[in-house]
Amino acid sequence: MTDKDQSHPSEKAIEADSTPVLTKEGLSATQEAISLENIASESIASPEPLQKWNDPGINVFRVVVASYGLLIMGMNDGAYGALIPYLEAYYLVSYTKVSLIFLSPLIGYTFSALLMNTIHMNLGRRGIAFIAPSVRLIAYIVMSQHPDFGVLVFVFILAGFGNGLEDAAWNAWMGNMQRANEILGFLHGAYGLGAVLSPLIATTMITKDDAPWWQFYYIMVSVGASEAVLAIMVFWGETGAKYRRENPIMESEGNSNRTKEALLNRTVWICAAFLFVYVGIEVAIGGWIVVFMRKIRGVSPFAAGMAETGFWVGITVGRLILGFVTGHIGEKLAILTYAVAALGLHLILYLVPVAGVSFATVALEGFFLGPFFPAAVVATTKLLPAHLHVSGVGFAAAMGAAGACILPFVVGAIANAKGVQVLMPIVLAALAVDGAVWALLPGQEGHRKGWRAWLGIKSKPIDLQDQEMT
């Protein structure tokens, strides 16, 4: 028998052994392994590309309108500080009672977090674009009629619901785009711009033109109505069906399962805790700095309003400029650095009782606080799987809104007994806590290499052969 003849039976045996055999249970183990390998290789080879702010072209208009919505949200939040002294005088209420306008939006934000996924799955972003501006517009119409104080507190719940929907939805959508740090820097820069404009407008109307406080909300009705029209136009194609096609894993799971998965994620809780403290700091300073400057630093009502404007200018400029820095050095290191700078500036604001120094330091503090929110959203979307972006970012943003309601209320309640000077130590402690919470964020390769790349330092590659020899 030749060599060829001797090898022939074994070749046939090998061929027979490798032939897939269908069992009663379905595919053979060989076919199943090949199928799984093909699925894995396809998902690795062709990941879903991230959207750009200008591709598809309609995104340009959507980003502009979403930023306009955040500008209105900033006008809503920035008006607190300018209006509080006049609300106290008009309704004859204490610091504690007037602080309810900070606390009541928490109910609206809570409902927005609970309904976020349901609205996305059934109505898509079109639903957000219709519901959020509409309920906010209703709130501003009622506020412009200077209702009883109890009604005023109630309609702030509606404003909180609309703000919560837009805050989470637009952050989750734009936070998952290419160059997210820069895009979110502009989005939140629009929020800061709104917070700059509203105290400037309200203070000028009240102190220079002797207008009653509620006439400020005539302006809010106008901008709210224009947003309601524009938002539904540009997001009309973002239906629930389209959203479900783009997020198939979310379609196969229940809404409660996705929410539960997000709530069991450590990263979500760290970012939520961070935003809870940060947004509380932001609104506490913006809401009470006018009273602090008038009562403690002894400046005029108009100058006190300008201190709040300076703070929000700092927030806005910081988001626009430092967003580019954050993208280069990594979110974790960047925010830790900004937190140290803000802490130092707040110490100066607290300990140096000079009005001019207070004006400068509160603006600079705002500059370093500015990138906190967009950087937290970017970090969250990087660390979470795509199907948890809406629920994870939505929950974190809702917690941020809760901080915006609770911390300013706490400041007002304590100030009612101890004086408004308690603002400074409370914010100082909150800044320290916020930096410590951020330090707990899980690291990423990009975070570890970011500062080296920004400074032009190249990391030395690891020689695995040398490691094996040692």
Side-chain angles (χ1 to χ4, degrees):
M1 191 180 270
T2 64
D3 292 342
K4 183 176 179 180
D5 293 334
Q6 289 176 349
S7 63
H8 185 70
S10 62
E11 287 177 1
K12 285 189 175 182
I14 291 170
E15 289 175 5
D17 289 340
S18 61
T19 302
V21 179
L22 288 174
T23 64
K24 293 179 181 179
E25 290 77 11
L27 291 173
S28 69
T30 305
Q31 287 175 311
E32 190 174 347
I34 292 171
S35 177
L36 291 172
E37 186 178 347
N38 289 339
I39 293 170
S41 63
E42 285 175 10
S43 63
I44 294 171
S46 56
E48 188 71 21
L50 297 178
Q51 286 193 45
K52 297 179 181 179
W53 71 272
N54 57 353
D55 185 21
I58 188 65
N59 274 2
V60 175
F61 300 100
R62 289 172 180 163
V63 167
V64 169
V65 172
S67 299
Y68 185 45
L70 267 286
L71 182 140
I72 296 171
M73 194 185 306
M75 293 181 71
N76 179 91
D77 293 350
Y80 285 129
L83 296 179
I84 277 179
Y86 307 101
L87 292 174
E88 286 181 85
Y90 183 79
Y91 289 108
L92 300 176
V93 293
S94 64
Y95 284 155
T96 302
K97 195 168 182 180
V98 79
S99 296
L100 290 173
I101 65 171
F102 291 113
L103 194 60
S104 63
L106 175 60
I107 300 172
Y109 271 99
T110 302
F111 276 106
S112 72
L114 294 174
L115 295 173
M116 182 64 60
N117 275 307
T118 301
I119 294 172
H120 273 84
M121 293 297 292
N122 290 281
L123 302 174
R125 296 189 185 97
R126 179 204 287 179
I128 301 293
F130 173 74
I131 297 170
S134 298
V135 296
R136 206 159 55 184
L137 177 60
I138 293 170
Y140 295 148
I141 291 172
V142 176
M143 291 175 192
S144 70
Q145 303 306 305
H146 50 97
D148 292 340
F149 187 75
V151 177
L152 186 73
V153 171
F154 174 77
V155 294
F156 269 100
I157 296 174
L158 295 181
F161 180 69
N163 287 344
L165 288 178
E166 285 197 353
D167 198 14
W170 303 156
N171 273 288
W173 174 53
M174 295 168 69
N176 200 37
M177 288 183 175
Q178 294 184 30
R179 305 189 68 177
N181 269 300
E182 292 89 335
I183 300 299
L184 286 179
F186 282 100
L187 178 70
H188 288 273
Y191 172 92
L193 178 60
V196 168
L197 293 173
S198 64
L200 183 62
I201 294 169
T203 302
T204 302
M205 289 175 65
I206 296 170
T207 61
K208 301 298 182 182
D209 299 335
D210 294 323
W213 64 266
W214 59 83
Q215 286 191 7
F216 168 76
Y217 285 100
Y218 295 168
I219 297 172
M220 297 301 290
V221 169
S222 300
V223 295
S226 63
E227 187 212 2
V229 174
L230 293 171
I232 196 66
M233 287 174 60
V234 299
F235 283 100
W236 184 259
E238 293 294 304
T239 62
K242 181 182 178 184
Y243 183 82
R244 292 192 299 272
R245 285 196 304 272
E246 292 173 348
N247 299 271
I249 190 169
M250 300 178 77
E251 186 176 10
S252 63
E253 299 173 357
N255 178 58
S256 59
N257 290 337
R258 294 192 307 275
T259 304
K260 181 179 178 180
E261 186 179 351
L263 293 178
L264 292 175
N265 189 287
R266 178 172 176 262
T267 297
V268 170
W269 278 101
I270 291 173
C271 289
F274 174 78
L275 289 179
F276 177 89
V277 180
Y278 162 66
V279 183
I281 291 169
E282 180 184 86
V283 178
I285 295 175
W288 288 105
I289 193 64
V290 173
V291 179
F292 176 83
M293 293 297 288
R294 288 178 64 178
K295 299 287 181 69
I296 307 301
R297 294 293 185 255
V299 304
S300 68
F302 182 78
M306 293 306 98
E308 185 191 4
T309 298
F311 173 71
W312 290 111
V313 167
I315 290 276
T316 305
V317 175
R319 285 173 175 169
L320 293 175
I321 293 177
L322 293 181
F324 292 92
V325 178
T326 303
H328 281 88
I329 68 176
E331 291 79 26
K332 187 169 185 177
L333 177 62
I335 295 306
L336 288 174
T337 305
Y338 305 153
V340 171
L343 197 63
L345 287 162
H346 192 77
L347 270 173
I348 297 172
L349 175 63
Y350 180 20
L351 299 175
V352 181
V354 179
V357 173
S358 297
F359 280 112
T361 51
V362 76
L364 287 171
E365 184 176 357
F367 177 79
F368 285 105
L369 289 174
F372 278 35
F373 199 115
V377 172
V378 173
T380 304
T381 55
K382 283 182 178 179
L383 291 166
L384 291 179
H387 70 283
L388 290 183
H389 285 176
V390 168
S391 52
V393 172
F395 176 73
M399 288 293 288
C405 301
I406 292 172
L407 189 58
F409 175 80
V410 169
V411 170
I414 298 175
N416 197 53
K418 303 292 185 181
V420 76
Q421 64 270 17
V422 299
L423 171 68
M424 293 298 125
I426 291 174
V427 170
L428 186 68
L431 279 169
V433 169
D434 215 25
V437 170
W438 186 254
L440 299 174
L441 190 74
Q444 284 185 304
E445 191 65 20
H447 290 144
R448 292 191 289 271
K449 289 182 178 179
W451 68 273
R452 292 178 177 272
W454 191 54
L455 295 174
I457 302 172
K458 294 183 179 180
S459 300
K460 183 180 178 182
I462 299 173
D463 193 329
L464 296 176
Q465 291 184 352
D466 289 345
Q467 281 192 339
E468 289 174 0
M469 291 177 68
T470 56

